[in-house]
Amino acid sequence: MNTQELIATHGPREAMDYDVVVVGAGPAGLATAIRLKQIAPDASVVVLEKGSEPGAHILSGAVMDPRAMDELFPDWQKLGAPLGQAVTGDDVLFLSETGSTRTPDWLVPRNLHNHGCYVVSLSNVVKWMAQQAEGLGVEIFPGFAAAEVLYEGQGRVVGVATGNMGLTKEGAPGDNFQLGMELRGKYTVFAEGARGHLGRQLLAKYKLTEGRDTQTFAIGIKELWEVPADKAQPGRVVHTAGWPMSGDTFGGGFLYHLADHQVTLGFVIGLDYRNPYLSPFEELQRWKTHPAIRAHIEGGKRIGYGARAINNGTPQALPKTVFPGGALVGCDAGYLNAARIKGSHAAIKSGMLCAEALAPALAAGRAHDELVAYPEAFGRSWLHDELQQTRNFKLWFKKGKAIGQLMAGVEQWLLPRVGVMTPPWTLHNHRADHEGLEPASGFEPIAYPKPDGRLSFDRLSSVFVSNTNHEEHQPAHLTLKDAAVPVQINLARFAGPESRYCPAGVYEFVKGEDGADRLQINAQNCVHCKTCDIKDPTQNIVWVTPEGGGGPNYAGM
Amino acid sequence: MKILVAVKRVVDYNVKVRVKADGTGVDTANVKMSMNPFDEIAVEEAVRLREKGAAGEVVAVSCGVTQCQETLRTAMAIGADRGILVETGEELQPLAVAKLLKALVEQEKPDLVILGKQAIDDDCNQTGQMLAALLGRPQGTFASKVEVEEGRVRVTREVDGGLETVSLATPAIVTTDLRLNEPRYVTLPNIMKAKKKPLVVVKPGELGVDVAPRLQTLSVREPSGRKAGIKVPDVASLVDKLKNEVKVI
């Protein structure tokens, strides 16, 4: 049964009215809510979060630039924000298969300087932000997914509806069925993160990407380790380029030492990769076995795992961020600074800018119109300047690693030394990531080493430590537009890339009893990274929200 | 009829627990906590009895740290009418909880106390039984069905051989098994209503209960990992290995 039929038989849906409805309790959504309550204490603000609690679906490197946090909470240190570990040293390494070369500090381009930043668990930061928000009177409802945008009249957004709960696998109401409910707002702010499920629909409906570059993404896969005391170097930040990536694939590793003998590490690969045999998960696994990396974690224990698609962050690809009745903030728009490998400061800043436009609009009695003041304020902000300075970074690398390194050096090292902060030229991209995949016939399968169970692992034991679960009797939330495409196109032409790019083993090609291939979707394993929604070559996979509360339960990620 | 339901805040069932590096216990820092699933079943049952007209008021009780208030709010979102938190930062063992509950039972005078059969963190399966013993009242443990009759409760118990039905004079203690019911989804309006329901906080001292631990934990270890299996070429070598290497036959 579809939602309209369910409303007809079980409805009407209950509705609650707010001044502002925020979708997603991440850094951008919470910053929006917090900033609004700081300047307009009487505004009613509700935040919906599909994770079981704030932070449950938050995964990031992360080295945080405190600039936006300083603006949001000038006294964050006194308030106990979990930004406890300052960066103490930067290593930029170029890896060969067995060796590594450290870039001398004076040669490291400015975008990779992390002095003054903090190594954090963004999941913990978000938990703390949620407490601050609740203290200011924001209502946060974790465990409730915004599943549908509510429109009215001439296509104005008037809120969202939460997902139905208790549907059977076939989509019929089960014993404990609960119809979703409507949260109506004068303005609705979408802060779902990269490739938001509702954000995508809004981009299309309001043609928000018209005249802009095509947004591209990367997949980041991360692990959290507890290491022996003699290996701990709190505050040390390591970034690597080179092995195991070949020349034409954009990717690199990160390894950060937190306090309490914890190390967070991971690998990021551009989703415009060509070779369908590439497996981002297995690239991370073998990267960890490199002598320069294993030296940090050997003898330790992996305690967390997760993955998330990330925007590639070029301001040329930023969509229009407002439409009647709503706005996009954070990575739902795509403010990440890929060159600095940082996005949380941008997410927080964008949420604040949006809130600073919301407050006067509400005070003037406005509703459901375009918050033009928000993109205008962004244009005047430091965030705009920061993103402009690195606007070509990822795009140079699309032209090959040698050109990428050279031009990143010119733009981020050379030009700033002669006082040119923003490069005088602009590159553009109009190709979506899924179009980059080439037929398997042009490549050899990659022979990845078998996991050893100590440094490297398989997918299932990895998903196990992400604490992921979904109520098993619900309809699959990874939907196919055409059920025949996976075997006829994905498997036949591209050797089934979804079985490799999915970091959680959701997609498996299996032989049926009749010997025919079929795609098995293990939706329960999904860590909500959205990679399939982005990379599926024919865009046949559509990620929709599962029942609220499902998905990973990241702790300290 | 009045029902008292006990709810415990535990590490969420989806979280893979991890022993602290120093072996003193399980690491709960930044870990998601939620209501013990068996207690959720207990709340659901109490609320269903009230909805059927068999009970008048449902009071939820929790013992532990301040954050247990969230667990009580969840119980009230399912439908409990009010909450009582016995707040303490001390480690609470089953006997201490049973004593606290006994003191509350004497204050509140419920006709029925429903608890989860055990908590998924320590798996003790003791609190309900201890409470019944301390109160000197009948108990029906591992309930898969609860029916209220005039002055009595009929409880169907899940026992090894099948099902056993007992009839208890009230006030009585019931502990819930998995098949008793499937708890409802809490809805947003009910979460909002729950925020406005009364919640009282008391200290163990006010109830005259000494909660000092009686058991001492010496060390906590993770189970040793499973060794890799081997493939044997035929039945004879399997029998040989079972007999001479593993020595199980």
Side-chain angles (χ1 to χ4, degrees):
Chain A
M1 287 172 94
N2 64 31
T3 293
Q4 289 314 313
E5 289 164 347
L6 289 167
I7 293 173
T9 50
H10 292 75
R13 286 195 287 218
E14 287 190 66
M16 289 197 290
D17 287 297
Y18 290 89
D19 288 327
V20 175
V21 177
V22 179
V23 179
L30 290 171
T32 308
I34 289 167
R35 189 67 175 157
L36 183 57
K37 289 297 267 184
Q38 285 173 342
I39 49 185
D42 294 333
S44 60
V45 189
V46 66
V47 183
L48 285 180
E49 167 55 42
K50 67 181 162 65
S52 62
E53 63 177 356
H57 288 184
I58 296 293
L59 172 142
S60 181
V63 173
M64 190 191 243
D65 176 346
R67 187 166 187 180
M69 190 62 93
D70 287 340
E71 291 180 4
L72 186 62
F73 291 112
D75 54 347
W76 57 260
Q77 257 156 335
K78 215 170 69 201
L79 293 170
L83 278 68
Q85 183 58 58
V87 172
T88 54
D90 267 313
D91 284 342
V92 180
L93 305 180
F94 277 86
L95 303 185
S96 64
E97 191 160 351
T98 51
S100 70
T101 316
R102 186 176 183 276
T103 311
D105 290 334
W106 64 271
L107 250 181
V108 172
R110 62 174 168 166
N111 57 304
L112 288 173
H113 284 286
N114 290 302
H115 189 74
C117 296
Y118 294 83
V119 183
V120 301
S121 150
L122 194 63
S123 171
N124 289 351
V125 172
V126 159
K127 260 182 216 173
W128 175 83
M129 286 178 75
Q131 288 164 7
Q132 303 306 311
E134 284 186 320
L136 289 164
V138 175
E139 288 193 57
I140 303 176
F141 293 125
F144 291 92
E148 182 191 337
V149 182
L150 300 174
Y151 300 101
E152 206 174 80
Q154 303 294 312
R156 293 174 307 175
V157 172
V158 294
V160 290
T162 62
N164 301 312
M165 311 274 257
L167 287 173
T168 63
K169 261 227 152 0
E170 294 72 36
D175 288 342
N176 52 6
F177 174 73
Q178 284 287 345
L179 196 60
M181 83 169 281
E182 296 184 356
L183 293 147
R184 296 177 160 266
K186 292 174 183 161
Y187 295 96
T188 308
V189 178
F190 294 84
E192 302 165 286
R195 193 71 162 195
H197 153 246
L198 300 180
R200 250 193 103 174
Q201 297 170 20
L202 294 162
L203 292 178
K205 183 177 170 77
Y206 294 105
K207 300 189 171 61
L208 302 174
T209 54
E210 222 167 56
R212 317 286 165 115
D213 277 19
T214 303
Q215 182 66 264
T216 62
F217 299 87
I219 177 174
I221 308 181
K222 167 177 167 168
E223 297 182 348
L224 183 63
W225 282 69
E226 207 169 60
V227 299
D230 61 343
K231 292 222 155 76
Q233 307 174 53
R236 176 144 292 267
V237 166
V238 182
H239 289 108
T240 76
W243 190 85
M245 291 291 95
S246 58
D248 59 350
T249 308
F250 187 89
F254 65 86
L255 184 149
Y256 309 146
H257 283 264
L258 291 145
D260 302 327
H261 311 168
Q262 287 192 343
V263 167
T264 157
L265 59 86
F267 210 84
V268 178
I269 294 181
L271 282 176
D272 57 351
Y273 69 81
R274 300 189 299 133
N275 182 351
Y277 289 113
L278 183 99
S279 165
F281 173 81
E282 275 144 322
E283 296 294 350
L284 165 66
Q285 298 307 320
R286 70 172 169 182
W287 172 78
K288 283 185 293 178
T289 64
H290 190 282
I293 301 306
R294 72 190 307 157
H296 289 270
I297 54 172
E298 209 149 36
K301 188 181 173 197
R302 183 177 70 158
I303 58 176
Y305 171 84
R308 186 71 174 87
I310 315 162
N311 303 90
N312 272 350
T314 54
Q316 299 90 307
L318 268 181
K320 184 178 170 196
T321 51
V322 290
F323 42 86
L328 301 169
V329 296
C331 278
D332 224 346
Y335 287 106
L336 179 124
N337 186 336
R340 294 186 68 202
I341 329 177
K342 287 179 189 55
S344 49
H345 69 302
I348 292 171
K349 181 65 179 174
S350 70
M352 291 171 67
L353 291 168
C354 183
E356 285 157 11
L358 282 164
L362 292 172
R366 285 164 48 196
H368 305 135
D369 59 1
E370 268 192 35
L371 279 173
V372 284
Y374 159 46
E376 282 169 11
F378 166 67
R380 294 188 300 267
S381 70
W382 54 258
L383 179 59
H384 176 265
D385 295 344
E386 181 193 312
L387 294 177
Q388 286 300 332
Q389 286 169 12
T390 55
R391 67 182 173 219
N392 298 326
F393 181 81
K394 274 262 156 148
L395 298 173
W396 283 122
F397 280 91
K398 280 187 184 287
K399 300 183 187 296
K401 200 183 282 175
I403 297 178
Q405 282 162 7
L406 173 72
M407 291 311 295
V410 169
E411 292 186 359
Q412 304 306 321
W413 187 86
L414 186 65
L415 290 182
R417 293 189 169 220
V418 296
V420 181
M421 303 315 274
T422 304
W425 47 75
T426 305
L427 302 187
H428 291 283
N429 168 59
H430 294 290
R431 195 178 69 168
D433 289 323
H434 69 269
E435 296 168 327
L437 204 65
E438 293 177 11
S441 54
F443 299 90
E444 287 295 313
I446 304 173
Y448 288 108
K450 274 206 162 25
D452 64 13
R454 293 192 308 275
L455 276 181
S456 55
F457 305 93
D458 63 12
R459 279 184 174 76
L460 287 184
S461 60
S462 301
V463 176
F464 187 74
V465 289
S466 69
N467 302 323
T468 297
N469 193 32
H470 291 87
E471 210 290 317
E472 60 180 322
H473 300 299
Q474 64 182 311
H477 71 279
L478 297 145
T479 62
L480 301 174
K481 289 184 199 158
D482 179 344
V485 164
V487 171
Q488 285 174 9
I489 297 177
N490 292 18
L491 187 60
R493 284 194 68 200
F494 298 104
E498 55 270 61
S499 63
R500 290 182 207 92
Y501 61 60
C502 173
V506 169
Y507 299 97
E508 268 183 290
F509 283 95
V510 293
K511 294 254 186 240
E513 276 172 22
D514 53 357
D517 290 301
R518 76 186 171 83
L519 177 66
Q520 179 175 305
I521 301 182
N522 308 311
Q524 256 189 300
N525 284 359
C526 176
V527 295
H528 296 202
C529 78
K530 313 279 178 78
T531 302
C532 54
D533 194 90
I534 296 164
K535 190 62 177 170
D536 184 47
T538 62
Q539 295 289 282
N540 186 50
I541 299 174
V542 179
W543 193 101
V544 302
T545 44
E547 257 181 26
N553 283 286
Y554 294 141
M557 290 291 274
Chain B
M1 191 173 96
K2 180 169 169 180
I3 306 178
L4 194 78
V5 200
V7 295
K8 183 176 184 184
R9 180 177 184 264
V10 297
V11 172
D12 187 84
Y13 70 95
N14 285 314
V15 173
K16 314 299 177 289
V17 293
R18 206 162 45 79
V19 172
K20 282 189 216 163
D22 62 2
T24 55
V26 165
D27 193 353
T28 54
N30 301 312
V31 163
K32 174 166 166 57
M33 307 292 282
S34 49
M35 191 191 298
N36 176 35
F38 291 108
D39 301 347
E40 219 177 317
I41 294 172
V43 180
E44 176 68 32
E45 193 62 21
V47 173
R48 284 188 191 185
L49 287 172
R50 193 197 56 209
E51 286 170 348
K52 271 190 275 190
E57 190 188 27
V58 176
V59 184
V61 179
S62 190
C63 305
V65 294
T66 317
Q67 291 89 328
C68 293
Q69 290 196 16
E70 293 163 22
T71 317
L72 287 169
R73 293 288 172 204
T74 307
M76 292 189 275
I78 297 171
D81 298 290
R82 58 189 171 92
I84 303 171
L85 170 62
V86 184
E87 190 184 293
T88 170
E90 287 219 39
E91 178 205 342
L92 289 177
Q93 293 176 349
L95 183 60
V97 177
K99 286 178 182 172
L100 292 170
L101 291 176
K102 172 177 182 271
L104 287 173
V105 166
E106 282 161 358
Q107 269 184 13
E108 293 284 334
K109 302 197 171 32
D111 305 281
L112 189 60
V113 184
I114 312 184
L115 309 87
K117 69 167 179 181
Q118 68 194 68
I120 62 168
D121 51 0
D122 57 20
D123 276 340
C124 279
N125 186 348
Q126 294 169 348
T127 308
Q129 292 89 329
M130 285 176 168
L131 175 62
L134 290 172
L135 287 168
R137 296 304 309 171
Q139 56 179 307
T141 50
F142 315 122
S144 65
K145 195 171 177 189
V146 176
E147 296 154 287
V148 173
E149 298 161 344
E150 195 53 47
R152 303 188 77 81
V153 242
R154 179 192 284 265
V155 177
T156 306
R157 306 181 58 227
E158 299 209 356
V159 293
D160 282 349
L163 298 173
E164 179 189 73
T165 306
V166 292
S167 175
L168 315 173
T170 53
I173 285 68
V174 171
T175 72
T176 62
D177 215 322
L178 206 58
R179 273 175 284 270
L180 180 57
N181 61 52
E182 198 184 328
R184 67 195 66 187
Y185 287 99
V186 292
T187 63
L188 282 181
N190 286 340
I191 292 175
M192 312 274 289
K193 277 179 214 152
K195 286 185 180 173
K196 300 195 177 80
K197 290 183 180 176
L199 195 164
V200 179
V201 180
V202 295
K203 302 276 178 194
E206 296 166 36
L207 297 172
V209 177
D210 170 17
V211 295
R214 300 293 199 271
L215 303 171
Q216 188 194 345
T217 302
L218 298 179
S219 80
V220 179
R221 278 185 300 143
E222 281 189 15
S224 48
R226 180 182 165 278
K227 287 204 185 91
I230 51 161
K231 272 188 187 164
V232 289
D234 50 37
V235 174
S237 50
L238 172 67
V239 171
D240 174 61
K241 285 201 183 299
L242 290 177
K243 219 178 208 160
N244 300 317
E245 265 183 42
V246 204
K247 297 191 169 75
V248 288
I249 53 173

